[in-house]
Amino acid sequence: MDVLISVLAGVLQGLTEFIPVSSSGVLVVLRQMTGFTEDEALAYLAFLHLGTLAALSICLQNDLKKMAREFVRILRDIRTNTSLYLRTSRSGEEPRYTRIVTTTYRRLVVMTLSSSLMTALVGLLLWRAAAKVGGSLLYTGACFILTGVVLLVMSMICPQGKAVKEIPLRSAFWTGIVQGFSVLPGLSRSAFTISSSILSGFRLKSAIRFSYLISIPAVLGACLAGLISGIGSGTINGHFLITAIPGAAAAALTGMFVVRRMLKLTRSAGSRPFAYLSFVLGVIAVAASFVM
């Protein structure tokens, strides 16, 4: 693969990672056209994910800083409550525990951790199925079409506009489960998590922001898996880095542009063009499966 194709793949990753179209599905099609081996594809995708992680970290840096600060405070309060429990259990006193989830950002921390746990469990269960789908344009095309159906349904839903503090914590578990299914190429992570969040009561802008926040642990896990696989197989070498790094940079720059635009969306009906795009990509992938 030359640098030009790498940059093109990076731009595609940056565009599709943050809109309701499956970036992994697009890259499966690209992989079939470039003749990547599975190890090369995993390692290269890890570098593209590093680019999109950089984009997210920059665009959401204020949220991430506040969540990190609240996470440390949550750990401190848990330690305080544990010490209080141990002390009062011996003395028989009535304990007065410190409340843990007291602010919006603490709630976001708990919801993100809950979603990430469920995503990891579902992702591990579907790992082999994802590898099978990733090697088939037919299955990937079917997943694209399913994403299109979800997006069309979402365009007909009017978000309730609840504040984060009004969203039940159990909603984070369901969103995490839904995100886990996006390990299957062609199923858009953004489409499914944003739809799940809207059904839970989020306003659209909050649903998009929450979708991006819970994607960070999931994408980081995929990065680590790809890098470990690439190093172990010897795929990541000097020649590989020369082409992969420009692709990661293109993914980061494109991703920052897309994230900032997406965070300004206010109407769920805006998902309809993405639904049509998913249908088109699905038909192309299915048709290509009978030709290639």
Side-chain angles (χ1 to χ4, degrees):
M1 180 179 67
D2 59 29
V3 174
L4 182 60
I5 295 178
S6 175
V7 170
L8 173 61
V11 171
L12 286 174
Q13 170 72 9
L15 283 172
T16 55
E17 178 71 17
F18 303 117
I19 64 174
V21 176
S22 174
S23 61
S24 59
V26 171
L27 291 172
V28 163
V29 177
L30 184 65
R31 186 182 114 189
Q32 295 286 342
M33 293 179 177
T34 57
F36 270 6
T37 66
E38 184 175 347
D39 287 336
E40 288 172 336
L42 285 173
Y44 183 65
L45 187 57
F47 272 83
L48 295 187
H49 276 145
L50 285 175
T52 51
L53 271 177
L56 271 181
S57 299
I58 292 170
C59 294
L60 299 178
Q61 57 182 307
N62 291 332
D63 288 325
L64 292 175
K65 288 177 182 177
K66 292 176 182 178
M67 289 175 68
R69 184 165 57 244
E70 292 302 328
F71 177 66
V72 172
R73 291 173 177 172
I74 286 173
L75 293 179
R76 182 196 61 194
D77 289 344
I78 289 175
R79 185 186 63 182
T80 300
N81 286 345
T82 301
S83 300
L84 181 62
Y85 170 77
L86 294 174
R87 186 174 67 250
T88 57
S89 62
R90 291 192 296 267
S91 64
E93 299 176 16
E94 185 68 26
R96 294 185 177 180
Y97 296 117
T98 301
R99 288 187 60 193
I100 302 298
V101 185
T102 55
T103 67
T104 296
Y105 279 99
R106 287 196 178 199
R107 195 174 188 84
L108 276 175
V109 168
V110 174
M111 294 177 75
T112 299
L113 291 175
S114 301
S115 292
S116 299
L117 175 62
M118 300 311 298
T119 296
L121 292 175
V122 175
L124 287 173
L125 290 174
L126 294 177
W127 186 259
R128 290 187 178 180
K132 184 175 181 180
V133 172
S136 168
L137 285 174
L138 179 61
Y139 290 150
T140 300
C143 288
F144 267 125
I145 292 171
L146 178 57
T147 293
V149 172
V150 170
L151 288 170
L152 273 184
V153 173
M154 189 176 82
S155 69
M156 303 173 188
I157 297 174
C158 181
Q160 298 177 40
K162 293 181 180 178
V164 173
K165 63 182 179 181
E166 298 174 310
I167 306 297
L169 289 176
R170 65 177 179 273
S171 299
F173 285 95
W174 291 114
T175 303
I177 291 172
V178 166
Q179 181 171 242
F181 279 93
S182 66
V183 73
L184 300 174
L187 293 185
S188 168
R189 187 201 60 77
S190 295
F192 280 71
T193 54
I194 292 172
S195 299
S196 175
S197 298
I198 288 177
L199 289 174
S200 298
F202 279 94
R203 62 176 65 94
L204 181 60
K205 290 181 70 172
S206 297
I208 293 172
R209 187 175 295 273
F210 182 61
S211 170
Y212 289 165
L213 287 172
I214 66 173
S215 76
I216 293 175
V219 174
L220 183 59
C223 279
L224 291 175
L227 291 174
I228 292 172
S229 173
I231 293 172
S233 64
T235 299
I236 298 179
N237 51 38
H239 177 71
F240 176 87
L241 292 175
I242 289 174
T243 55
I245 291 176
L253 292 173
T254 309
M256 282 191 288
F257 173 82
V258 174
V259 169
R260 286 169 178 162
R261 295 301 181 275
M262 285 293 294
L263 289 173
K264 294 178 181 179
L265 287 182
T266 56
R267 295 176 55 205
S268 59
S271 64
R272 195 166 295 170
F274 300 126
Y276 299 146
L277 178 58
S278 289
F279 284 135
V280 170
L281 290 172
V283 171
I284 291 173
V286 171
S289 71
F290 292 102
V291 176
M292 298 179 66

